[in-house]
Amino acid sequence: EQSRAFLERGEQIQPDSYIWASELGTLTLRPITVALGIRLAGVSPVRATLTDEECEREAAIALGHFERALRLSDPPRRFSLLADIADSAFISGDIAKAGAHAEEILHLASVNTKNRHWRDHVHEAHVLLGRIALRKGDVPLAIRSLEEAGKVGSPDAPVLRSFGPDFFLASELLDRGEAAAVLSYLGECERFWKAGRIVRWREQMSRGERPRLHAGFDPDESND
């Protein structure tokens, strides 16, 4: 709350700067990401997290902050903000807006390859478009989106090589029985992130088990 108060005060003092709105969006989005990540991992949280309804409501607030930042940004910063905007829109339930911004990321990618996070942003865009396709019942398109998300992954992508790839679409496809597509995606992810964990998941799938696909801490794994 103190951080929020400082950022809001900064925006009052310097209303023409995008940074305050952007940071307010990030501050609002962070606990949502934590809550959704915990549910994806299927583990018990050590403290209370946001409910699905709270995530949706807070994501709408984050979206408002990010959109305000976008209006104040120049074109290079626009590319970086789009991923957070698309993500916030999707969680808030504005699927059309999420899809439009994800498509814009892909459209702008070729002229933003000097942005150190361009692969991270393109990866997220493909994942979001795949999740939107699943909501519309288009499984083949969702699979193609997952393939593209895996292909863009690289050790040169700061987020993908450290915090890890997005496993929400892979998990949703696995729940639909699309194991082959998920195995292919995991094979791509193994090139740039936690090979030991990926190998363990693939072995579990070969035994007919359902691994917990997530990028967070896993107490069951060794230091790989």
Side-chain angles (χ1 to χ4, degrees):
E1 290 306 313
Q2 188 174 16
S3 296
R4 189 182 309 278
F6 281 136
L7 292 170
E8 289 173 348
R9 178 59 177 154
E11 190 168 32
Q12 291 172 0
I13 295 171
Q14 196 180 24
D16 293 333
S17 174
Y18 83 98
I19 190 66
W20 308 108
S22 176
E23 290 299 319
L24 280 165
T26 300
L27 187 69
T28 306
L29 187 61
R30 185 173 293 117
I32 301 170
T33 303
V34 171
L36 296 178
I38 287 173
R39 284 200 272 287
L40 179 66
V43 297
S44 299
V46 296
R47 65 186 67 179
T49 60
L50 298 176
T51 65
D52 287 340
E53 293 76 15
E54 289 170 334
C55 285
E56 184 173 334
R57 184 178 67 246
E58 290 296 303
I61 295 172
L63 177 61
H65 290 313
F66 286 129
E67 289 183 325
R68 194 165 67 257
L70 191 67
R71 291 193 294 271
L72 296 169
S73 298
D74 54 25
R77 292 192 180 99
R78 180 181 182 86
F79 180 68
S80 294
L81 283 166
L82 285 173
D84 284 330
I85 291 177
D87 198 26
S88 299
F90 182 84
I91 299 168
S92 73
D94 195 335
I95 303 304
K97 183 174 288 185
H101 286 304
E103 291 284 4
E104 186 177 357
I105 291 171
L106 300 185
H107 177 71
L108 295 175
S110 63
V111 295
N112 282 277
T113 54
K114 291 184 179 180
N115 183 311
R116 66 191 296 262
H117 288 291
W118 79 271
R119 290 181 178 274
D120 298 319
H121 299 329
V122 171
H123 173 87
E124 285 299 322
H126 283 303
V127 168
L128 267 183
L129 290 171
R131 298 186 73 190
I132 292 170
L134 273 187
R135 288 198 173 195
K136 296 178 179 179
D138 193 339
V139 176
L141 178 56
I143 290 174
R144 290 197 297 274
S145 296
L146 186 68
E147 290 174 352
E148 293 302 319
K151 288 177 183 177
V152 78
S154 166
D156 295 330
V159 173
L160 291 176
R161 71 168 183 249
S162 55
F163 292 100
D166 190 317
F167 291 108
F168 280 95
L169 176 57
S171 184
E172 290 170 357
L173 281 169
L174 193 56
D175 288 339
R176 288 174 175 257
E178 301 295 339
V182 174
L183 280 169
S184 177
Y185 177 68
L186 293 178
E188 294 286 358
C189 293
E190 189 179 341
R191 294 183 293 106
F192 58 87
W193 183 79
K194 288 188 178 291
R197 183 183 294 194
I198 298 293
V199 168
R200 176 161 55 85
W201 285 348
R202 296 174 74 181
E203 290 174 347
Q204 288 175 323
M205 291 180 65
S206 70
R207 297 193 297 267
E209 300 172 7
R210 170 62 160 87
R212 295 183 302 179
L213 305 180
H214 66 102
F217 172 72
D218 188 342
D220 298 329
E221 72 183 7
S222 59
N223 186 17
D224 57 11

